[in-house]
């Protein structure tokens, strides 16, 4: 049975865990119709286009 030679310090443990706590920035691409930045494979909320065709009618705010 494997036994650790010495105790892993708190600093080493926390440093290892902290390396995975960074938030990743979302990947955004410009809309092919209006140029608005959207997430890939999502309908553009500004113009309602997806994959080169009108999918939804966007709501007019105003």
């Amino acid at each position: 049975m494997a036994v650790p030679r010495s105790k892993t310090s708190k600093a080493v443990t926390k440093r290892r865990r902290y390396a995975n706590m960074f938030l990743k920035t979302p990947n955004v691409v410009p809309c092919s119709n209006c140029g608005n930045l959207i997430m890939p494979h999502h309908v553009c909320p500004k113009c309602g286009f997806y994959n080169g065709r009108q999918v939804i009618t966007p709501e007019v705010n105003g």
Side-chain angles (χ1 to χ4, degrees):
M1 181 175 189
V3 178
R5 287 179 184 255
S6 61
K7 178 182 176 181
T8 305
S9 69
K10 293 177 191 173
V12 171
T13 304
K14 289 178 182 179
R15 191 179 312 131
R16 183 181 62 241
R17 289 178 181 167
Y18 183 73
N20 298 315
M21 289 186 183
F22 293 109
L23 295 175
K24 312 273 188 301
T25 56
N27 186 24
V28 291
V29 294
C31 174
S32 60
N33 186 51
C34 66
N36 185 35
L37 292 178
I38 58 172
M39 293 180 72
H41 307 287
H42 283 72
V43 176
C44 179
K46 187 174 178 183
C47 65
F49 271 71
Y50 176 75
N51 202 13
R53 58 190 174 98
Q54 184 89 29
V55 179
I56 61 169
T57 305
E59 296 181 8
V60 179
N61 296 334

